[in-house]
Amino acid sequence: MNLKAYRFTGGKVSLADIPTDADGGLTRADAEARMVTLGARLAELQERLYAEGKRSVLLVLQARDAGGKDGTVKHVFAGVNPQGVRVTSFKAPTLQERAHDFLWRVHAQTPPAGFIGVFNRSHYEDVLVPRVHGLLDGRGARRRLEHLVAFEALLHDSGTRVVKAYLHISKEEQRQRLQARLDDPQKHWKFDPADLAERELWDKYTAVYETVIERSGTKRAPWYVIPSDHKWYRNLVVSQLLVDTLEDLDPQFPPPTFDASKIRLK
Amino acid sequence: MNLKAYRFTGGKVSLADIPTDADGGLTRADAEARMVTLGARLAELQERLYAEGKRSVLLVLQARDAGGKDGTVKHVFAGVNPQGVRVTSFKAPTLQERAHDFLWRVHAQTPPAGFIGVFNRSHYEDVLVPRVHGLLDGRGARRRLEHLVAFEALLHDSGTRVVKAYLHISKEEQRQRLQARLDDPQKHWKFDPADLAERELWDKYTAVYETVIERSGTKRAPWYVIPSDHKWYRNLVVSQLLVDTLEDLDPQFPPPTFDASKIRLK
């Protein structure tokens, strides 16, 4: 699977032109079979990354409400050793966090060498939400995006491969998923009535997401717009993205610091 | 499976009397079939714990070198959503960490409400290693253990269920596992020649582990001595321990803060 069509490293982005329900010509059964192979490969590459202990990967997940961030984490990382994976779910900032610049709490959670870090929501919320709600003007948003780009370049140059995924769903798909949460009492905890107000701002979010992806998609930290109406296709693409990223890094088991043939155990 | 025989909440402990190769009368195939059921149950309970967002679980894993800490994490948590699990592997303390009391860095890593925390090595290393190497006398060790007990009681009383597992292997099993690491170049990175010196101190470690379990096994933070020569049995017992702990907590999906029947999605 070639992910180039979903990759953005600068230049114009029109979300309306990217289908939310693409399936790569695969059936669900095809995709699930491929997930088994990809999952095993991901587990193997993660072990090498951990053993090497020199570089890291940061996967940033952004989406609208019910866009599938939680489900992606659950399915893509099932079978990967949790010892080498750190998921950070960013919520509304605490008082202490708000007393610092917006990247302070984010920087603290970046993956150390050997780790795969996953951000479920991220520093991008600090542009998206205030810009949509008019708390940040265009100039203020651009300035924050410049800071983000510089921050991600620092991570890249320090051995962290940064990949950013926008899980792209249609407005109708969101409606169905929110309705499913309302219909199932065991899913009520995932429903926040405040999400309804955000849903009203659908088009504003689209416009801001486009600006964000245009201005912060870089070669050192590309954005991927991932068709996500089909959960199984989304999981497959994100898994492939991680496997490709890790294969490109090609982590190696470190050379031994001893001569194994000379060691005799008693 | 009843784990009572492996549970210690105070009183005499003799590790020699606890078989390292117990298998609960099960075959490997039996155990693997049970693991499927337990894994699904653990995933379900973890989701409830996360949804409830009020309480947490801390699993402390201690073992000798090659005792199976890494493998336990990998197998027990395969299939559990990594978003709700935080594994901390404690290494030798950094300069900054050493400038504080020995519980400072540990406290910072305790699981927040909703999470399962796993310590791969822990504050117990700060008693075991210095005591075995003579850097701490009996009185010093007892004092540290008192601090540990008080700290774990604080966690318990604040909503964190603490369970501690000592993965119990025989000296011969350790020999075989270390040899396997020497024989496989892809496992060399897990071998540290310094482990050989620790192996020479086998009996000293046994004595200190006994003291530690006797003095820090409490009702609020019990120790479990887990027969671990058979990896599949060890995984089964640790999974059962977590499931039992979570079933006892019985986390609940939070009641909705809205009337789902009154919400209409547009």
Side-chain angles (χ1 to χ4, degrees), chain A residues 48 51 70 73 77 81-83 120 175 178-179 186 188-189 191 196 199-200 253-254 256 258 260 265-266, chain B residues 48 51 70 73-74 77 82-83 120 175 179 186 188-189 191 196 199-200 253-254 256 258 260 265-266:
Chain A
R48 279 178 179 266
D70 292 353
V73 174
F77 292 97
N81 191 339
Q83 189 155 298
N120 182 336
R175 194 192 61 74
L178 292 175
Q179 190 61 55
Q186 297 214 339
H188 281 176
W189 68 279
F191 186 90
L196 298 175
R199 180 169 159 80
E200 302 274 331
F253 287 108
F258 52 87
L265 289 167
K266 279 176 279 188
Chain B
R48 281 179 178 266
D70 293 352
V73 174
K74 186 170 169 178
F77 291 97
Q83 190 153 298
N120 182 336
R175 193 191 61 73
Q179 190 62 53
Q186 297 214 341
H188 280 175
W189 68 279
F191 186 89
L196 298 175
R199 180 169 160 81
E200 301 275 332
F253 288 108
F258 52 86
L265 289 167
K266 279 175 279 188

Side-chain angles (χ1 to χ4, degrees), chain B residues 196-248:
Chain B
L196 298 175
E198 297 304 295
R199 180 169 160 81
E200 301 275 332
L201 301 166
W202 184 273
D203 293 334
K204 279 199 176 177
Y205 269 104
T206 302
V208 179
Y209 260 115
E210 286 174 345
T211 304
V212 161
I213 296 169
E214 284 167 7
R215 291 187 172 266
S216 66
T218 64
K219 281 192 182 152
R220 289 190 278 194
W223 271 106
Y224 290 80
V225 175
I226 298 181
S228 298
D229 282 357
H230 298 296
K231 294 174 181 173
W232 50 265
Y233 187 66
R234 169 203 77 201
N235 294 340
L236 184 73
V237 176
V238 174
S239 296
Q240 184 74 57
L241 171 57
L242 281 168
V243 166
D244 288 357
T245 303
L246 281 159
E247 284 187 340
D248 191 56

Side-chain angles (χ1 to χ4, degrees), chain B residues 18 59 104 113 128 175-177 214:
Chain B
I18 305 166
L59 171 67
W104 181 78
L128 289 158
R175 193 191 61 73
Q176 290 179 24
R177 293 187 187 180
E214 284 167 7

Side-chain angles (χ1 to χ4, degrees), chain A residues 74 186 189, chain B residues 36-57 76-77 79-81 84-85 113-116 238-254:
Chain A
K74 186 170 167 177
Q186 297 214 339
W189 68 279
Chain B
V36 175
T37 319
L38 277 177
R41 182 76 181 128
L42 182 56
E44 187 193 329
L45 287 160
Q46 179 274 325
E47 191 189 4
R48 281 179 178 266
L49 185 77
Y50 190 84
E52 183 190 78
K54 287 189 181 162
R55 294 168 296 169
S56 58
V57 170
V76 169
F77 291 97
V80 179
N81 191 339
V85 178
F115 281 75
I116 299 175
V238 174
S239 296
Q240 184 74 57
L241 171 57
L242 281 168
V243 166
D244 288 357
T245 303
L246 281 159
E247 284 187 340
D248 191 56
L249 275 179
D250 193 22
Q252 299 297 319
F253 288 108

Side-chain angles (χ1 to χ4, degrees), chain A residues 53-100:
Chain A
K54 286 188 182 162
R55 293 169 297 168
S56 58
V57 170
L58 173 60
L59 171 67
V60 173
L61 288 176
Q62 282 291 149
R64 300 175 195 255
D65 297 315
K69 299 180 298 298
D70 292 353
T72 301
V73 174
K74 186 170 167 177
H75 289 96
V76 169
F77 292 97
V80 179
N81 191 339
Q83 189 155 298
V85 178
R86 275 205 199 159
V87 184
T88 307
S89 305
F90 288 99
K91 314 281 181 196
T94 63
L95 279 176
Q96 194 200 13
E97 287 168 350
R98 274 194 280 161
H100 294 267

Side-chain angles (χ1 to χ4, degrees), chain B residues 49-119:
Chain B
L49 185 77
Y50 190 84
E52 183 190 78
K54 287 189 181 162
R55 294 168 296 169
S56 58
V57 170
L58 173 60
L59 171 67
V60 173
L61 288 177
Q62 284 290 150
R64 302 174 194 255
D65 297 315
K69 298 180 300 297
D70 293 352
T72 301
V73 174
K74 186 170 169 178
H75 288 96
V76 169
F77 291 97
V80 179
N81 191 339
Q83 190 153 298
V85 178
R86 276 205 199 160
V87 183
T88 307
S89 304
F90 288 99
K91 313 280 180 197
T94 63
L95 278 177
Q96 193 200 14
E97 287 168 351
R98 274 194 282 160
H100 294 267
D101 69 84
F102 79 106
L103 292 171
W104 181 78
R105 65 173 186 158
V106 175
H107 209 155
Q109 301 298 329
T110 50
F115 281 75
I116 299 175
V118 182
F119 285 176

